[in-house]
Amino acid sequence: MFSENLYNPHISVDCVVFGFDGEKLKVLLIERSMNEQNELYNDKKLPGSIILNNEDLDDAASRVLNELTGLKNIYLSQFKSFGSPLRTSNPSDVLWLERTTKMKIGRIVTVAYVALIKIDRKIVFNAEDTSANWYDVNEIANVQLAFDHNRIIKDGLLHIRHRLDLEPHLLFELLPNKFTISQLRSLYDVVHQTRSDVRNFHKKAIQMPYLVMLDELEEGVPHRAARLYKFDKKKK
Amino acid sequence: MFSENLYNPHISVDCVVFGFDGEKLKVLLIERSMNEQNELYNDKKLPGSIILNNEDLDDAASRVLNELTGLKNIYLSQFKSFGSPLRTSNPSDVLWLERTTKMKIGRIVTVAYVALIKIDRKIVFNAEDTSANWYDVNEIANVQLAFDHNRIIKDGLLHIRHRLDLEPHLLFELLPNKFTISQLRSLYDVVHQTRSDVRNFHKKAIQMPYLVMLDELEEGVPHRAARLYKFDKKKK
DNA sequence: GCAAAAGTGTTTCATGTACACCCATGT
DNA sequence: ACATGGGTGTACATGAAACACTTTTGC
């Protein structure tokens, strides 16, 4: 299937795609099913692909996300490569590789990326042959994923926590276009694993130059409606 | 030469090895010479290697450093992978690859590491067929290196600056076993591109738990001898 | 009128920054 | 005795953390 465009079946990219549902951090995983000796196996894996001819690594990661979500301009950042010979120690993973690439593959080095997307966008994740779903970051630690994808998610999470700490404007990649300060605060706290003080947070937030107040309020909430804000990229 | 042990001639590691000579940050580069159409070309490259069978990425990087310096337990940290199709756009690089690997190679993805070593150790860098030398980090920006190695060094430098900021105990990887506080300060300033205040620095330094004062003084200096300190890993 | 979250200031403490003089040693 | 870098303390500014009550709205 890939053979014409394929650069090298031993190098891939994988994307750890994070989203925020208002409460928890989520990761996007692809459902993988395969029948092996007439038994149907179901598990999950990170979105990924081998690298095509004439494609840079970043381009390959962008392509994976675009094919999956239809979106462009997603925040993407390479964070680590994984190349242990043990990555393909699970026979089902090897079998799956051979079936999808139609090649004999002993070992794959993968370049891992983190991506941040707004979970609220109505994205069709269930196209053609792939279906993808959001999973709670903390819960998938207990689920056995394909290859070393548990490890990759763990490292990706550490990476993005660190990154969002250094570059707080990246938090807005995870929020809807219009959001309240308390949504921003929940996100901040989920990412940093803290319980920040309401007043101090508000103070810090409104003095970010790129946070701009709108003349609109939240709607449909059973209590006092909160003011909405948006993010101004130009001022970051 | 590699053919028996070789895992995949399309994946390599490269190491950006940093050292500190008391004044400047240095990078270790391999001298590469090659004759092409009866002309002798000389340039420099990062120490690196393709990955061997059954070798993890970190192991490959360790091996490269060990082969080059004879040292083990060098601080090493993977920081980025480079895989642009344009990496091998220079014909001399392609020629060099073919001669050293004895294979036809279109493109290589390389996993880059930074390493920190004590420049004072008397290391034999001029073994067999390779000779290596230290170059001033700022000056090699103006020298054309093999492949995209200029870029890799630049990114490696950014990475290590950031890293040494977060984990200041790593500074000691670059200093001799016994050092003065003003050596530590020079290093700190070179890394952070600052001119720190002597008194404030001293204050901050001596309250690091892992910095232990010795009962020894500097020797052979034409002025008041400074007190020596060492680094205690256990207390980091 | 009550439940539920929004919004808002002040005090305290820790940390960083600015700044200048005497000391020890080798020549 | 002089040149060279070593070693030291205090005052000020800035930023982080603790802490509680009133307001708005839907039901």
Side-chain angles (χ1 to χ4, degrees), chain A residues 7-8 10-11 51-57 78-85 106-109 111 162 166, chain B residues 7-8 10-11 51-57 78-85 106-109 111 162 166:
Chain A
Y7 155 51
N8 184 326
H10 299 274
I11 305 176
I51 315 282
L52 304 188
N53 254 329
N54 244 324
E55 189 179 49
D56 199 349
L57 303 175
Q78 195 202 112
F79 70 97
K80 193 170 175 189
S81 295
F82 297 81
S84 164
R107 174 179 166 195
I108 283 198
V109 171
V111 182
H162 180 219
L166 294 176
Chain B
Y7 155 51
N8 183 326
H10 299 272
I11 305 176
I51 315 282
L52 305 186
N53 255 329
N54 244 322
E55 190 179 49
D56 199 348
L57 303 175
Q78 195 202 111
F79 71 96
K80 193 170 175 190
S81 296
F82 297 81
S84 164
R107 175 179 166 194
I108 284 199
V109 171
V111 182
H162 180 218
L166 294 176

Side-chain angles (χ1 to χ4, degrees), chain B residues 191-206:
Chain B
V191 169
H192 291 76
Q193 300 179 106
T194 50
R195 285 170 157 279
S196 62
D197 178 84
V198 193
R199 278 175 288 187
N200 292 335
F201 187 87
H202 205 272
K203 224 183 306 173
K204 234 184 3 187
I206 56 173

Side-chain angles (χ1 to χ4, degrees), chain B residues 91-234:
Chain B
S92 336
D93 289 333
V94 177
L95 185 63
W96 179 83
L97 273 179
E98 286 173 6
R99 289 199 189 157
T100 52
T101 64
K102 315 262 193 256
M103 294 185 209
K104 194 89 184 165
I105 290 176
R107 175 179 166 194
I108 284 199
V109 171
T110 198
V111 182
Y113 285 76
V114 288
L116 302 177
I117 87 178
K118 301 184 197 305
I119 218 168
D120 75 330
R121 301 200 194 181
K122 295 291 169 280
I123 302 167
V124 188
F125 282 139
N126 297 284
E128 311 161 37
D129 52 343
T130 55
S131 92
N133 291 296
W134 290 106
Y135 291 90
D136 190 317
V137 168
N138 295 307
E139 284 168 22
I140 49 87
N142 309 314
V143 180
Q144 168 76 20
L145 306 178
F147 301 98
D148 50 358
H149 291 186
N150 288 85
R151 181 70 202 289
I152 296 179
I153 292 175
K154 215 168 157 186
D155 285 0
L157 186 56
L158 288 177
H159 177 83
I160 208 63
R161 286 201 155 120
H162 180 218
R163 198 61 173 259
L164 290 170
D165 192 31
L166 294 176
E167 302 178 62
H169 63 268
L170 293 177
L171 288 167
F172 302 105
E173 302 287 338
L174 291 164
L175 289 172
N177 286 324
K178 298 176 180 183
F179 52 86
T180 67
I181 292 201
S182 75
Q183 285 176 304
L184 177 60
R185 190 167 75 93
S186 312
L187 171 57
Y188 181 94
D189 280 345
V190 166
V191 169
H192 291 76
Q193 300 179 106
T194 50
R195 285 170 157 279
S196 62
D197 178 84
V198 193
R199 278 175 288 187
N200 292 335
F201 187 87
H202 205 272
K203 224 183 306 173
K204 234 184 3 187
I206 56 173
Q207 75 191 27
M208 298 180 180
Y210 39 81
L211 184 69
V212 313
M213 185 189 283
L214 298 173
D215 253 348
E216 290 176 68
L217 299 181
E218 237 182 346
E219 280 173 20
V221 284
H223 54 76
R224 175 176 175 184
R227 167 152 257 125
L228 290 172
Y229 291 78
K230 69 170 185 176
F231 170 58
D232 186 344
K233 278 183 215 275
K234 288 159 228 144

